[in-house]
Amino acid sequence: MKNSYQNDIRTVLTLDAGGTNLAFNAIRAGKEILDGVTLPSNADNLEKCLANIVEGFKQVISQIKHTPVAISFAFPGPSDYKNGVIGDLPNFPAFNGKGGVALGPYLSEIFKVPVFINNDGDLFAYGEAMAGVLPELNAELTQRKINKTYRNLLGITLGTGCGGGVVRNGQLFLGDNGAAAEVWVLRNKKYNDCFAEEGISIRAVINKYKQLSGFKDALTPKDIFEIAEGVHSGYQEAAKKSFAELGEILGDLIANVITVIDGMVVIGGGLAAAHKYFMPYVIKELNSTLGKYDKSGVVPRLESKAFNLEDISERESFFKGSETLVTIPSTNTKVPYNVEKR
């Protein structure tokens, strides 16, 4: 049976708000129904920014030719999403120093529908839990007749910054102040006087490559990825090490969060395209140890073993698992036992 949203024929307007562009669309039954509308963000001018947000939604409505039931969109934070008020934003200076901009109520007043705003990291995690990696994974577990179901998920987005979101038992966990999973402010493993985002973002990869190579010209992570691939001139080893350091810092961040959540992890955002160069270091960090506990051995970084499901051999090991059968005492009945947490 399909999830309820897949049977819902009502239309919701959407927006993905970035520091450069505003990308509008409409969804019905969980799918985009238009090619979309893109307008500049005008992130440094509030009047122009608000005007383009309104214009974008008007253009979408003109294309769907009927009244939507709601507006729902991702906007950078930190903000008071519950009340639809946007505060000071690093990537949207137009909103700074205004004492809060009531964007949700403003749009609701214009379009006469409910408006829901949330953080892009939260919505990424929720999407993957509802219609992405989590249902796909559980379907494969069922197909393979493996007695295991995953209900919790940590989503991490890597791009201009680092975002996060947590879904627990199908519900997006926002926290009391709407500030749950703000993982970017966790401590940076390699640079203790710095926050994690400075090691796992676009600027982190660029700065590390420049530091290692001595190269001063403007670069993008795509350039550095192509240098690592050997298809772009540059210092190949420095490029690989730049992604490797990102992987180590990201692995430590994930370990800190997933210890509390105990679930699957999915990584998205523009930098995820370079996963072949950083994921081995993420997994290495997750499966590392913290030092000796007593004479019995060392303490693992996690209680669970981490697997990279993008790697074919690791994926097979994950699904193979270590399930066995144990006998109920004083009976001949056996029950399944998942020996390895994974």
Side-chain angles (χ1 to χ4, degrees), residues 120-122 124-126 128 153-159 161-166 181-184 186 200 246 250-251 253-255 257-258 261 264-272 278 282:
D120 53 359
D122 288 322
F124 167 71
Y126 194 52
E128 290 291 347
L153 178 142
L154 167 65
I156 300 289
T157 57
L158 303 175
C162 170
V166 171
E182 292 289 343
V183 297
W184 67 281
L186 288 173
I200 49 176
L246 179 148
L250 176 59
L253 179 149
I254 290 172
V257 182
I258 208 64
I261 296 167
M264 298 302 299
V265 182
V266 58
I267 299 169
L271 281 175
F278 68 75
V282 171

Side-chain angles (χ1 to χ4, degrees), residues 309-329:
L309 300 187
E310 295 292 327
D311 181 280
I312 295 175
S313 61
E314 285 196 44
R315 187 179 182 88
E316 284 304 311
S317 296
F318 170 84
F319 282 111
K320 182 179 179 181
S322 56
E323 185 176 279
T324 186
L325 295 174
V326 297
T327 303
I328 300 174

Side-chain angles (χ1 to χ4, degrees), residues 11 19 26 159 163 172 201 315:
T11 301
L172 184 61
S201 58
R315 187 179 182 88

Side-chain angles (χ1 to χ4, degrees), residues 102-250:
L103 180 58
Y106 171 69
L107 294 173
S108 184
E109 194 65 30
I110 293 173
F111 294 102
K112 309 303 180 187
V113 295
V115 176
F116 303 94
I117 309 176
N118 216 315
N119 175 273
D120 53 359
D122 288 322
L123 295 180
F124 167 71
Y126 194 52
E128 290 291 347
M130 292 290 290
V133 68
L134 205 58
E136 290 173 6
L137 178 72
N138 285 328
E140 187 164 351
L141 287 166
T142 300
Q143 182 182 2
R144 291 174 181 247
K145 295 180 170 53
I146 298 173
N147 182 40
K148 183 77 174 177
T149 301
Y150 286 86
R151 297 182 175 87
N152 305 310
L153 178 142
L154 167 65
I156 300 289
T157 57
L158 303 175
T160 304
C162 170
V166 171
V167 177
R168 179 179 177 274
N169 287 332
Q171 297 294 316
L172 184 61
F173 180 69
L174 298 176
D176 290 330
N177 296 293
E182 292 289 343
V183 297
W184 67 281
V185 291
L186 288 173
R187 189 173 292 274
N188 186 313
K189 178 197 173 184
K190 293 187 70 72
Y191 309 100
N192 289 334
D193 59 345
C194 190
F195 54 98
E197 186 177 87
E198 289 298 318
I200 49 176
S201 58
I202 286 173
R203 63 185 178 276
V205 175
I206 294 172
N207 290 340
K208 191 63 182 180
Y209 177 77
K210 287 183 175 181
Q211 177 191 335
L212 292 173
S213 67
F215 194 78
K216 303 300 181 184
D217 293 348
L219 288 169
T220 67
K222 183 175 183 292
D223 295 329
I224 298 170
F225 175 79
E226 290 178 349
I227 291 170
E229 291 279 270
V231 299
H232 194 298
S233 62
Y235 299 88
Q236 189 174 32
E237 194 60 29
K240 291 180 178 180
K241 285 182 178 179
S242 300
F243 288 114
E245 181 169 284
L246 179 148
E248 181 181 354
I249 297 170
L250 176 59

